[in-house]
Amino acid sequence: MTDDIVRLGQRPLIVSDVDEVVLEFLTPFKLFLESRQLRLLPSSFRLTGNIVDLQSGEAASEATVKALLDAFYDAQERWQTPAALVVKTLAELSAEADIVFLTAMPPRHAARRRALLDALGLPYPLLASEEPKGPLVKYLHGARELPAVFIDDILRNLHSVRDHAPSCLLINLMANAEFRALAPAPDVGIHVAADWAEAARLIRSHLRAAVNG
Ligand SMILES: [Mg+2]
């Protein structure tokens, strides 16, 4: 499934989500919506029901939200920018760990995303799948006795990885501060990082603890 894209060395593994973690998502998606006379209201932690027509005030249907996301991803290189510090932080971490991006978008958008990540200086392997993330991380990391880290903005994905690859350090990172404030509180065992500087500190201490046993 993934062997043609990902070849891991005998070193730690960092698996990171892309939208809202490596690439800004909510901030540019809001701007994209405004360009179409729509607004994303920060009234709860979901998209459906919170995207309203600026003229009529009516909320977009679930089907419309899906079509808007497709249109956004089709033009992602015009809208999405790297999260603060991510390019430098991952370049530094790549000296001691393998990095793999695991993005939950439909695979048909993966080529555009690959091109965008390459253009931004984020050349790490990319897997695009809408399958639950836990089994994918388990498949990647297997039974290796090396430290692993998983980073995502969505708690459901962190829980999936906790269930299937319980040795992973779990980090909840969300680029957009406005929506971060609306997110549900994570369970015990999930570390919250406000930005990539804090994520890097958590990752380095996890890697050091593994070396020191
Ligand atoms: Mg995400």
Side-chain angles (χ1 to χ4, degrees):
M1 165 182 61
T2 58
D3 307 11
D4 52 335
I5 302 175
V6 181
R7 296 213 187 283
L8 301 179
Q10 279 303 310
R11 54 188 202 148
L13 172 64
I14 299 169
V15 180
S16 178
D17 177 39
V18 177
D19 281 312
E20 201 50 35
V21 178
V22 167
L23 296 179
E24 296 274 353
F25 170 76
L26 287 166
T27 304
F29 188 54
K30 276 176 77 170
L31 295 172
F32 167 85
L33 292 172
E34 308 249 337
S35 78
R36 296 178 172 223
Q37 311 306 314
L38 296 162
R39 178 157 294 158
L40 176 60
L41 304 173
S43 48
S44 68
F45 192 65
R46 61 197 174 94
L47 296 178
T48 302
N50 289 331
I51 296 175
V52 297
D53 187 300
L54 284 176
Q55 294 277 313
S56 69
E58 275 184 39
S61 69
E62 195 171 340
T64 302
V65 172
K66 192 170 178 302
L68 287 165
L69 277 170
D70 267 340
F72 177 73
Y73 285 137
D74 273 338
Q76 58 186 281
E77 66 277 7
R78 295 213 306 271
W79 297 95
Q80 290 193 270
T81 53
L85 295 173
V86 69
V87 174
K88 174 176 173 287
T89 304
L90 288 183
E92 288 165 0
L93 287 168
S94 72
E96 50 188 311
D98 286 320
I99 295 167
V100 175
F101 291 142
L102 182 52
T103 195
M105 66 179 6
R108 71 180 187 84
H109 296 296
R112 288 194 114 85
R113 172 137 294 176
R114 172 75 276 159
L116 174 58
L117 292 169
D118 285 343
L120 294 171
L122 295 160
Y124 316 104
L126 170 71
L127 301 174
S129 169
E130 294 180 287
E131 297 293 311
K133 292 193 175 184
L136 290 169
V137 172
K138 183 184 179 188
Y139 178 85
L140 275 176
H141 192 50
R144 303 174 340 137
E145 289 195 10
L146 289 162
V149 179
F150 177 72
I151 310 160
D152 206 294
D153 61 311
I154 304 291
L155 292 180
R156 182 181 66 246
N157 296 331
L158 290 155
H159 294 163
S160 176
V161 171
R162 181 180 62 192
D163 292 345
H164 290 89
S167 69
C168 274
L169 173 73
L170 302 172
I171 299 177
N172 183 208
L173 192 159
M174 185 168 206
N176 185 293
E178 188 179 23
F179 279 82
R180 194 191 314 142
L182 296 170
D187 293 357
V188 173
I190 296 175
H191 302 261
V192 178
D195 55 26
W196 273 98
E198 192 173 0
R201 281 194 294 277
L202 291 165
I203 291 167
R204 288 219 163 77
S205 69
H206 183 66
L207 302 189
R208 269 200 304 275
V211 169
N212 298 331

